Amino acid sequence: MNFIERGKKRVLKRSRRIIFMGILFSICFFIIALKAFYLQTLQEDVLSRRALKEYRRAGRSMAKRGAIYDAKMRELAVSTGVVAIGAHPKQIVKPKMTAALIAKTLKVSNSKIMGKMLSHKSFVWITRDASPDRAAVLKKAVADGLEFYPSYTRIYPNKTLAAQVIGITGLNEKALEGLEFYYDDYLKGNARKWTYIRDAIGRIYMRTEESRDGGEGKNLVLTIDGNIQYIVEQAIKKAVNRFNARSAMAIVMTPASGAILALANYPLFNPNSYNRFPREIWRNRAVTDPFEPGSTMKVFLAAAALESGKCTPETIVDCENGKYTIFDKVIHDTHPHGLLSLFEVVKYSSNIGAAKIAEIIGPKALYDTLTDCGFGEKTGIDAPGETSGMLRNYLAWQPIDNATIAFGQGISVSALQLITGVCAVANDGLLVQPRIVDRITNADGTVLKKYAPRVVRRAFSQSVARNVREMMRAVTMPDGTGPQAVPKGYTVCGKTGTAQIINSRGTYEHCDYNALFVGFSPARNPKLAVLVVVNAPQGSHYGGVVAAPAFREILRKSFNYLNIPPERQVEEKNEKKGQAGSSVGEGK
Amino acid sequence: MSLEREKKDWFSTDPLIFFPVLLLTGIGVVMVYSASSEIALKGYQNEYFFFTRQLVYACVGMLAMAFGFFFPYRLYKLLAYPIIIFSVLLLCGVFIPGIGHSAGGASRWIDFKWFMFQPSELARFSLIVYMAYSMTKKEDAVERFSIGFAPHVLLLLVFTALILPQPDFGTILILWALTWIVMFGGRARLLYLLGSLIPLVPITLWLLVSSDYRLKRAMTFLDPWKYPHDEGYQITHSLMAFGSGGMFGKGFGQGYQKLFYLPTPHTDFIFSVIGEEGGFVALGFIIAMFLLIMWRGIFISISVKDTFGALLSFGIIVSITLQAIVNMGVDLSLLPTKGLTLPFLSYGGSALVFDLFCIGILMNIARVNKR
């Protein structure tokens, strides 16, 4: 082998090996290209979705929420502009100094802010409702690490007033209770939505608007009158304090239109700081909670008896001197009576008399009138969580039920159902739908929707209504069960009630009673219907003693506020002037 | 051959290498800007911080390329030992306080006041030069263990010992692979080359099992989505970058993974950023450029008449290609994570200047042998 040939062979071997490496590298590049192609075509959806999930976030801000006004356009709930302030603790250069500055500006405790600054989270909320002025000061002073989000906070200027009716709009504009919840679709402003791209250290890199226009929410104008509401709340508060009661509720309604002027639940709570109050007092119990109505049911028994044609006000029953055994149950009267007419059964509130009248007319007649008066079904009030009460079909009644339902046991009703039924008596037999919202207005004040009074049905005839009114008028006479309900100078048709409270086990609590008074005034031309329910009073549990004074106070002050003059004064004036006048007068 | 022709040849570059390299370097400068602007803004309050530096490095690199192009490459034979000594000195200098510079827990740089220099780049170059020199000098005996294999591995072990404490496992890995491949090209016996690899298998397994950390690294490589918050964080975000790019990319500057999701978008993961912003089209183009450069280099290497030139050009082309393949493979999760940059594209002065210098030498070899 010569030298040149050997050299050629070497070069050949080397070249072969070099080309072999080139091919090997090419295969590597091919695999790389293949993997890139696989990731960027087949895996594109999966991977880009994973990436999006990490860096894209959605945000939304609500336009201003509508306000809630009372009947006289007083603000009950309003939204005001605030600034929510958040912080990225890791981005804040001098946490100690910044915390002190924030604490000073927002007038909050330094240690609390410092705690948030030292948090290991990438984002913390400093406050959700700083005033715009203070936020502006902070924005100027702190360069990095703080985020400012304009938003709104809900303010209830009258604090506890009508809180359970209005309800609550909580954090993040979330409606929780009451009208705020029921009318949320109208009240809430349109959301402005956007998406933003977030970098890995939590800063917002890019923002894109999804929908810009955020129309303001609609306003509610209620039938509630803030002044009457206040009167009612004070009256039941007084009753609760006086009798050491657990709670109380009261409703004031205009019988002819069904407009609710006041609806109060005691204890009160402040929706501005709702979290500090127990949850169970947030709800509007007058609408949501059923209870046994007790003797107030005798009003409807009387209506049923007269409507059936089997009785007249003068129909006499034997009241067995206070003790009457029906099947295996003994019925008692508070005061023993002998023979009483239907009229007197209502006036003196005899349970035995009521049971006997019910026996005369039979279950069907009683059931029909009760259902016609709206018991056992929802009134359709515009408030969340309404109960329909409990009224079983008469075919399912036990023999004893007919007698007990006549005096308000074995049936449960809501306060709203009860006063709505009583309003039918005041309305010559017409059952009207109770309502709490008068109209919905646009942000500029123009009316969007008006709720007119609505007659549901005729519950009983006009003459029946008149007769029942007479009986209810007698209740408030000095020898009736509820004389304390009458404000001086006015006439009142009413009915007392005392009902044992059914506990959660479905049995009667021995010493827990509801004391009730329901009625309307003036007797001849009812302007206001009022129901007062005092829950678990101590000392006395009679409606005529516990609830009637509050009823009287509500009427007296409301009439005064509404400029409805005392009837006798008017009559005297009219007599003096020798004119025939209406009971609604110009004087006080 | 006329004088005019000779003069023209003196300046004639190899267009199939020169323009791809120029293109890649240009793309690199632009993509370094896109990938680093947010990081630079946060770290240095200057979004052009890395961009301007890379631009300067590219210019210096062009000068280095010119130097490599005009400096007679055969003289490197004489310089082989001085370069090795110089490399070893600089590698030691990394650990001398006041001269060495550390960043991110690694001491890889020497502070020359005006610029930072990464001696491992010089070490790589000196290894290539030395191997080309030694395998040329003893060309007849290159198949002997003590001539064609042992000296190269010895030098490699010296470099390994000096680079290991930096630490820079990625570079060590590249150096070993480079040495083996150049020995292979230089006709070392396959018996030694492959035989010495056999003990690697149990050593690798033992290393894996002996440390929970390394085992987890390996598990992460097999299924990065299982550890998306710790070990798999980098690689999953790199994969998301590729996936988000799709076929045509999101457009220049429109990528999101560089927004602090990818830890080093302008160095180790620039290929991912290009994948997100330029899509498969851009990646395909870059891969094609590397293929072109490689095959052109291989063509030069096999057509060169002198052994030294052939092995030197082969070493250069292997060094660049290997680095590119490993970087791309890591970014695409084909290889376990190693901190390595992509030639011509990644941010980094020493690497860019040396790579361009080497390309200059490659074109020098091509030109001289064309005559």
Side-chain angles (χ1 to χ4, degrees):
Chain A
M1 209 186 282
N2 66 32
F3 180 76
I4 298 168
E5 231 170 72
R6 217 167 61 192
K8 264 189 185 163
K9 222 173 171 183
R10 279 179 191 163
V11 172
L12 203 65
K13 187 175 181 187
R14 189 177 70 213
S15 299
R16 242 191 269 130
R17 284 190 172 188
I18 288 173
I19 290 171
F20 172 79
M21 280 320 295
I23 291 168
L24 207 65
F25 283 146
S26 299
I27 291 170
C28 290
F29 277 121
F30 180 71
I31 292 170
I32 284 167
L34 213 61
K35 177 80 189 264
F37 185 76
Y38 166 73
L39 289 176
Q40 302 196 289
T41 55
L42 297 174
Q43 287 275 84
E44 183 186 358
D45 282 350
V46 181
L47 289 171
S48 52
R49 217 175 306 125
R50 273 185 160 155
L52 269 180
K53 216 171 113 189
E54 204 170 51
Y55 61 70
R56 195 173 66 184
R57 291 278 188 279
R60 55 194 268 138
S61 76
M62 307 298 279
K64 192 175 177 180
R65 189 176 175 84
I68 301 178
Y69 299 100
D70 83 342
K72 300 277 161 61
M73 295 306 285
R74 288 177 279 238
E75 288 173 336
L76 297 176
V78 286
S79 283
T80 55
V82 291
V83 180
I85 303 176
H88 301 285
K90 282 171 203 155
Q91 286 177 41
I92 289 171
V93 194
K94 295 172 184 160
K96 219 168 182 178
M97 229 179 73
T98 312
L101 189 76
I102 293 170
K104 203 181 133 203
T105 318
L106 299 179
K107 298 196 166 65
V108 287
S109 95
N110 197 350
S111 58
K112 210 170 157 187
I113 301 292
M114 198 59 212
K116 286 177 178 173
M117 288 284 142
L118 296 175
S119 160
H120 292 290
K121 290 180 194 160
S122 67
F123 183 84
V124 288
W125 284 112
I126 300 287
T127 174
R128 304 301 286 262
D129 51 0
S131 78
D133 301 346
R134 285 176 186 174
V137 170
L138 267 186
K139 207 171 187 174
K140 228 176 187 177
V142 182
D144 232 352
L146 290 190
E147 300 260 7
F148 297 85
Y149 303 99
S151 74
Y152 292 94
T153 191
R154 199 66 164 165
I155 290 179
Y156 303 93
N158 299 302
K159 299 192 174 77
T160 57
L161 192 79
Q164 287 94 342
V165 176
I166 299 164
I168 307 163
T169 294
L171 218 57
N172 294 330
E173 308 245 332
K174 188 170 166 53
L176 299 173
E177 290 278 343
L179 292 171
E180 295 268 38
F181 179 78
Y182 194 87
Y183 282 98
D184 191 40
D185 286 344
Y186 285 104
L187 284 167
K188 74 178 175 201
N190 288 330
R192 203 175 118 216
K193 291 178 191 158
W194 66 82
T195 53
Y196 60 89
I197 305 294
R198 208 179 59 117
D199 67 20
I201 47 180
R203 299 180 308 178
I204 291 171
Y205 180 70
M206 207 169 76
R207 242 173 92 141
T208 15
E209 301 287 337
E210 300 278 314
S211 60
R212 182 168 271 287
D213 177 53
E216 285 187 16
K218 312 286 185 277
N219 302 315
L220 292 188
V221 180
L222 308 187
T223 58
I224 299 261
D225 184 307
N227 280 0
I228 299 177
Q229 178 75 24
Y230 183 75
I231 291 166
V232 170
E233 286 177 4
Q234 292 306 307
I236 60 174
K237 182 182 175 186
K238 211 160 113 187
V240 165
N241 288 339
R242 191 169 150 205
F243 293 98
N244 237 332
R246 190 185 298 141
S247 65
M249 51 196 174
I251 301 176
V252 179
M253 197 159 148
T254 309
S257 69
I260 292 171
L261 300 180
L263 196 163
N265 293 273
Y266 191 88
L268 308 168
F269 82 100
N270 185 349
N272 293 306
S273 50
Y274 59 94
N275 268 330
R276 286 194 221 134
F277 296 86
R279 206 168 245 280
E280 59 267 21
I281 67 168
W282 294 358
R283 69 173 191 275
N284 190 354
R285 282 171 291 122
V287 172
T288 60
D289 287 18
F291 58 89
E292 289 204 340
S295 301
T296 53
M297 260 309 102
K298 285 169 192 157
V299 169
F300 305 100
L301 169 75
L306 298 176
E307 186 75 6
S308 73
K310 288 177 182 159
C311 290
T312 65
E314 290 76 35
T315 302
I316 302 289
V317 287
D318 183 359
C319 291
E320 314 271 350
N321 278 319
K323 199 173 172 187
Y324 174 50
T325 308
I326 177 165
F327 301 101
D328 56 343
K329 205 186 166 192
V330 185
I331 299 172
H332 295 277
D333 274 342
T334 319
H335 303 287
H337 298 286
L339 297 179
L340 289 180
S341 67
L342 171 57
F343 187 94
E344 288 164 322
V345 165
V346 175
K347 179 176 178 180
Y348 299 124
S349 198
S350 165
N351 289 348
I352 298 167
K356 293 222 167 162
I357 297 288
E359 276 172 38
I360 294 168
I361 63 170
K364 185 178 187 310
L366 180 58
Y367 176 77
D368 285 348
T369 298
L370 289 180
T371 48
D372 283 346
C373 290
F375 296 108
E377 64 170 15
K378 292 179 181 177
T379 63
I381 186 78
D382 33 9
E386 189 187 5
T387 175
S388 52
M390 195 276 292
L391 173 60
R392 272 173 291 145
N393 190 293
Y394 72 97
L395 296 169
W397 287 1
Q398 301 292 313
I400 185 79
D401 285 341
N402 187 31
T404 59
I405 287 172
F407 53 87
Q409 282 183 15
I411 175 174
S412 73
V413 304
S414 71
L416 188 69
Q417 280 179 324
L418 184 56
I419 193 168
T420 305
V422 167
C423 279
V425 179
N427 274 341
D428 284 343
L430 291 178
L431 185 76
V432 293
Q433 167 151 19
R435 60 205 174 84
I436 207 154
V437 173
D438 182 67
R439 59 189 182 273
I440 297 171
T441 64
N442 294 310
D444 60 5
T446 54
V447 176
L448 179 75
K449 197 170 177 185
K450 168 94 183 162
Y451 294 90
R454 190 173 80 86
V455 174
V456 179
R457 68 176 86 85
R458 175 164 285 283
F460 34 78
S461 74
Q462 197 173 351
S463 65
V464 168
R466 279 191 190 147
N467 279 320
V468 175
R469 280 212 294 271
E470 287 305 314
M471 298 176 197
M472 290 173 74
R473 174 89 171 82
V475 169
T476 64
M477 289 299 175
D479 58 339
T481 53
Q484 289 199 56
V486 185
K488 204 178 165 199
Y490 295 92
T491 53
V492 171
C493 296
K495 183 69 194 84
T496 57
T498 303
Q500 270 182 290
I501 295 167
I502 299 173
N503 64 19
S504 53
R505 292 187 303 277
T507 54
Y508 288 106
E509 203 68 58
H510 194 67
C511 48
D512 266 7
Y513 290 88
N514 273 325
L516 292 87
F517 197 92
V518 61
F520 46 86
S521 179
R524 271 190 292 165
N525 183 13
K527 295 286 181 203
L528 295 178
V530 181
L531 163 67
V532 176
V533 182
V534 181
N535 178 274
Q538 308 293 311
S540 174
H541 52 251
Y542 295 114
V545 177
V546 178
F551 179 95
R552 180 184 66 217
E553 192 181 323
I554 290 167
L555 271 187
R556 183 174 62 79
K557 289 186 174 167
S558 300
F559 281 153
N560 185 25
Y561 165 70
L562 293 170
N563 283 347
I564 296 172
E567 293 156 81
R568 272 177 219 145
Q569 225 173 308
V570 174
E571 279 163 20
E572 279 163 23
K573 259 190 200 167
N574 289 349
E575 274 164 26
K576 270 180 199 165
K577 288 179 184 171
Q579 291 170 333
S582 74
S583 57
V584 188
E586 54 287 335
K588 260 194 180 173
Chain B
M1 211 180 280
S2 69
L3 196 71
E4 203 171 309
R5 176 77 195 274
E6 184 135 327
K7 202 173 178 188
K8 203 177 159 193
D9 271 0
W10 181 246
F11 289 102
S12 80
T13 56
D14 192 322
L16 287 180
I17 289 188
F18 184 68
F19 289 110
V21 166
L22 208 62
L23 213 55
L24 287 180
T25 308
I27 292 172
V29 170
V30 172
M31 286 316 293
V32 160
Y33 168 68
S34 173
S36 71
S37 63
E38 287 296 322
I39 288 174
L41 202 58
K42 184 167 160 54
Y44 302 93
Q45 285 78 49
N46 172 13
E47 61 175 308
Y48 302 109
F49 183 87
F50 295 107
F51 169 72
T52 44
R53 271 161 186 73
Q54 183 76 350
L55 201 60
V56 170
Y57 298 151
C59 295
V60 175
M62 286 297 156
L63 292 176
M65 190 199 265
F67 179 79
F69 186 60
F70 293 118
F71 186 80
Y73 71 88
R74 290 191 179 90
L75 291 181
Y76 293 118
K77 270 194 247 182
L78 307 176
L79 292 171
Y81 285 110
I83 295 176
I84 289 172
I85 291 164
F86 194 47
S87 300
V88 169
L89 285 177
L90 286 183
L91 281 174
C92 293
V94 160
F95 302 106
I96 298 171
I99 302 173
H101 175 83
S102 306
S107 322
R108 292 178 189 173
W109 298 270
I110 286 189
D111 195 343
F112 278 108
K113 201 162 185 192
W114 295 106
F115 60 96
M116 298 283 187
F117 182 71
Q118 206 172 339
S120 56
E121 294 294 336
L122 181 66
R124 186 152 55 122
F125 177 68
S126 68
L127 192 65
I128 295 169
V129 170
Y130 171 72
M131 283 170 63
Y133 157 75
S134 111
M135 296 180 102
T136 307
K137 197 176 86 180
K138 298 157 194 161
E139 206 180 357
D140 301 325
V142 87
E143 287 180 351
R144 275 162 59 187
F145 183 82
S146 59
I147 302 294
F149 186 78
H152 310 131
V153 175
L154 200 68
L155 179 62
L156 183 62
L157 284 171
V158 170
F159 284 152
T160 303
L162 288 169
I163 296 173
L164 204 59
Q166 286 188 359
D168 191 350
F169 303 111
T171 299
I172 290 170
L173 214 74
I174 290 284
L175 289 184
W176 280 70
L178 175 67
T179 309
W180 249 249
I181 293 168
V182 174
M183 283 195 291
F184 173 70
R187 295 188 298 107
R189 282 188 71 179
L190 279 177
L191 176 69
Y192 306 141
L193 292 176
L194 296 179
S196 59
L197 290 180
I198 291 168
L200 272 183
V201 178
I203 290 173
T204 313
L205 284 177
W206 179 78
L207 278 175
L208 272 182
V209 179
S210 66
S211 144
D212 284 348
Y213 165 75
R214 275 190 286 264
L215 194 63
K216 198 176 176 194
R217 276 297 270 276
M219 299 298 282
T220 306
F221 167 62
L222 294 175
D223 186 6
W225 296 102
K226 222 169 154 181
Y227 313 94
H229 301 298
D230 38 50
E231 294 294 318
Y233 180 84
Q234 293 190 8
I235 201 62
T236 50
H237 282 86
S238 175
L239 291 173
M240 282 191 251
F242 286 113
S244 305
M247 197 64 191
F248 299 101
K250 286 177 162 176
F252 174 70
Q254 303 298 306
Y256 294 130
Q257 291 304 324
K258 63 192 185 192
L259 299 174
F260 308 97
Y261 291 99
L262 274 175
T264 49
H266 57 308
T267 59
D268 299 359
F269 287 98
I270 195 140
F271 195 60
S272 317
V273 175
I274 295 170
E276 187 178 11
E277 301 191 353
F280 180 70
V281 173
L283 296 188
F285 178 77
I286 282 166
I287 292 169
M289 287 302 110
F290 274 111
L291 269 171
L292 186 63
I293 294 165
M294 181 195 75
W295 277 111
R296 186 63 193 163
I298 281 173
F299 175 76
I300 291 167
S301 171
I302 58 174
S303 55
V304 161
K305 290 172 193 84
D306 71 311
T307 311
F308 180 70
L311 287 177
L312 188 61
S313 56
F314 181 59
I316 286 167
I317 213 64
V318 167
S319 153
I320 286 168
T321 308
L322 204 57
Q323 182 107 2
I325 285 172
V326 173
N327 175 275
M328 291 175 178
V330 165
D331 287 6
L332 286 163
S333 190
L334 288 165
L335 294 169
T337 314
K338 278 274 156 283
L340 281 176
T341 54
L342 187 58
F344 312 122
L345 291 154
S346 284
Y347 173 80
S350 309
L352 186 60
V353 169
F354 258 93
D355 286 338
L356 290 176
F357 173 55
C358 288
I359 290 296
I361 295 171
L362 192 62
M363 292 191 297
N364 184 354
I365 296 167
R367 181 200 61 197
V368 169
N369 285 282
K370 209 153 67 177
R371 270 185 294 172

